[in-house]
Amino acid sequence: MNRELIRLIIGQFFVHTCMTGTRLAAPLLALRDGHTPGAVGFLLSLFALTQVFLALPAGRYADRHGFMKPMLAAIALAFVGTAIGVAFPRFEVLCLSALLTGAGCGISIIALQRHAGRVAHEASELRQIFSWLSLGPAIANFLGPMVTGLIIDHSTGQAGNNLSYRIAFVVLALFSVVAWWCVRSAQEMEPAPPKSDGQPHHAWDLLREQSFRRLLIVNWLVASCWDVHTFVVPLLGHDRGLSASEIGAVLGVFALAAFVIRVLLPAISRHLREMTVVMAAMVLTAAIFAVYPLMPNAWAMAFCSALLGIGLGSVQPMAMSMLHQITPEERHGEAVGLRLMLINGSSVCMPLMFGAAGAAIGVGGVFWVMGALVGAGSRMAWVLGKTPLPTFKVIDSSPAAGPAAHALGEKPVAMPPREP
């Protein structure tokens, strides 16, 4: 991994931190001001809502204009979203902050994932790049809320007053400035030329490719398992009589395990193909979901949580590597946007379904139903791993490719066909 990619990952980390920090500060400020839990839930849903509607347009924009324009737009949205919290720390403004920082985070993810996928020369390099790329959001999900919480509690003489929240938003706004500094010198790659078949293309056309459909279903199942764990563990812990700190520790172990496996994935990915890792993760998840509701105490739940973090944390980099192999290069941004729209749409809707299912069949039943679904879906991952995939990506090695082919300092070579 060279310095250029490191700077881009750090830039995305700071944009993501703007969102995760705001996602902690905004609901805490709303609760302090006396707003209802329903209002706070509405506020939290806005962080994902903009990503649902902007993902496809952002992907198309990245396909047409490359990396820098959408990334700078993402940084600007994150800056404005946090800066208005400094000036007007009120509920209606916090809702706008949620929309803007959520949009900035989503656009930065699409721009960087598309850009990073285009600089890889072969499948093994794709796996390694996306393994490193997944570390930025993983660290931001931990550090963003922690730093914001410390500022709110300790930056002034009185924890949780208006000044402490304003200071927190100032720091988050400065993070977006650091993000700009990190990516400002990124070398742009020329957009892939669109196919000249004279026919209009729509995002849903990508779903006609069977491999792409299967990949989205597999990715959705795994993302739903992540949501199930986040939603159900507090309920299960409450039923077991666990304290808030014990429940938090169980969820913290999950996040830590997901981070650790992503640190190790660049080495692991040299020896294992994408769908081998994904299928193993899905089988492991199904087994853990089968026994998780039976765990009697925090230690046992934490053990299951750690194993689950290892399994689920390994999937996203592998899915992104596969996505870039099975979609045309000129439509990578669109494909990434379609995937992000599906995942965020699921995150908005699934908690409502989990709540209804939990009331009908119990908390343990939600684990068992989702475990059965992901276990059955593992066969789809196995079939996808055995299916010969079309290789759309070819990096031009001719002199006409110019300096854009050297965007990350690599020698441009043709990508070999993927093994059947």
Side-chain angles (χ1 to χ4, degrees):
M1 185 170 63
N2 56 39
R3 293 180 180 178
E4 175 83 6
L5 186 57
I6 292 173
R7 287 198 300 270
L8 298 185
I9 291 174
I10 294 174
Q12 190 210 10
F13 160 78
F14 280 107
V15 175
H16 204 94
T17 302
C18 288
M19 188 273 292
T20 57
T22 305
R23 196 169 56 188
L24 175 73
L28 288 180
L29 183 54
L31 289 170
R32 191 210 66 177
D33 290 344
H35 292 279
T36 65
V40 172
F42 170 77
L43 172 62
L44 288 172
S45 70
L46 297 178
F47 285 96
L49 190 62
T50 45
Q51 297 185 35
V52 175
F53 292 103
L54 286 181
L56 277 177
R60 295 191 187 105
Y61 186 81
D63 283 333
R64 291 195 302 268
H65 300 286
F67 171 73
M68 284 302 297
K69 287 185 178 180
M71 191 66 185
L72 292 177
I75 292 171
L77 288 169
F79 177 80
V80 174
T82 50
I84 61 175
V86 180
F88 308 104
R90 302 194 301 268
F91 181 78
E92 58 273 17
V93 176
L94 295 177
C95 290
L96 182 58
S97 293
L99 290 170
L100 293 176
T101 56
C105 179
I107 293 172
S108 72
I109 289 172
I110 292 170
L112 184 54
Q113 287 180 344
R114 176 191 174 277
H115 182 75
R118 293 189 69 212
V119 303
H121 299 147
E122 57 187 7
S124 61
E125 192 175 356
L126 269 174
R127 293 192 290 268
Q128 293 176 44
I129 285 176
F130 282 111
S131 297
W132 288 118
L133 209 62
S134 65
L135 293 179
I139 300 172
N141 286 334
F142 172 72
L143 287 182
M146 185 184 73
V147 171
T148 304
L150 288 174
I151 293 172
I152 292 171
D153 286 341
H154 302 291
S155 62
T156 63
Q158 182 181 359
N161 60 9
N162 269 349
L163 179 59
S164 64
Y165 278 100
R166 283 193 165 101
I167 293 173
F169 282 120
V170 167
V171 172
L172 294 173
L174 291 175
F175 283 168
S176 64
V177 177
V178 176
W180 168 81
W181 185 85
C182 291
V183 306
R184 74 192 191 286
S185 59
Q187 298 183 44
E188 188 63 88
M189 299 180 70
E190 291 294 332
K195 289 185 177 180
S196 57
D197 54 8
Q199 299 296 323
H201 295 286
H202 304 283
W204 308 112
D205 295 339
L206 294 169
L207 297 175
R208 295 178 182 174
E209 171 58 49
Q210 188 179 56
S211 297
F212 186 74
R213 290 199 308 271
R214 286 173 172 167
L215 180 62
L216 283 188
I217 293 172
V218 167
N219 206 176
W220 171 77
L221 283 171
V222 172
S224 296
C225 289
W226 198 298
D227 291 336
V228 164
H229 185 257
T230 303
F231 178 82
V232 175
V233 163
L235 303 179
L236 190 64
H238 180 73
D239 289 344
R240 298 289 186 275
L242 302 183
S243 66
S245 60
E246 288 175 320
I247 294 173
V250 171
L251 292 173
V253 166
F254 173 85
L256 180 62
F259 172 76
V260 169
I261 191 61
R262 288 180 176 181
V263 172
L264 299 176
L265 268 180
I268 296 172
S269 64
R270 296 192 185 100
H271 309 288
L272 295 174
R273 294 173 60 187
E274 295 90 348
M275 286 299 111
T276 302
V277 175
V278 173
M279 185 181 67
M282 295 177 77
V283 171
L284 177 63
T285 299
I288 294 170
F289 273 14
V291 300
Y292 211 132
L294 307 177
M295 296 297 102
N297 54 50
W299 286 104
M301 290 176 63
F303 178 73
C304 288
S305 185
L307 293 178
L308 196 63
I310 291 172
L312 297 181
S314 65
V315 171
Q316 189 261 355
M318 300 296 103
M320 290 306 306
S321 171
M322 182 70 77
L323 181 143
H324 276 73
Q325 294 178 60
I326 64 178
T327 55
E329 185 178 11
E330 72 275 6
R331 303 188 71 184
H332 279 173
E334 204 170 13
V336 172
L338 187 59
R339 172 190 169 273
L340 192 65
M341 184 183 73
L342 175 67
I343 298 303
N344 282 285
S346 176
S347 295
V348 172
C349 300
M350 292 302 285
L352 299 176
M353 297 178 60
F354 298 152
I361 61 178
V363 174
V366 177
F367 266 128
W368 291 328
V369 169
M370 200 66 225
L373 288 175
V374 76
S378 64
R379 183 181 182 278
M380 190 175 295
W382 181 82
V383 172
L384 185 57
K386 294 294 183 180
T387 303
L389 302 178
T391 301
F392 292 105
K393 173 174 177 163
V394 177
I395 297 179
D396 188 4
S397 59
S398 66
H406 299 265
L408 291 188
E410 302 286 351
K411 180 180 178 181
V413 297
M415 181 175 178
R418 190 179 184 278
E419 295 179 3

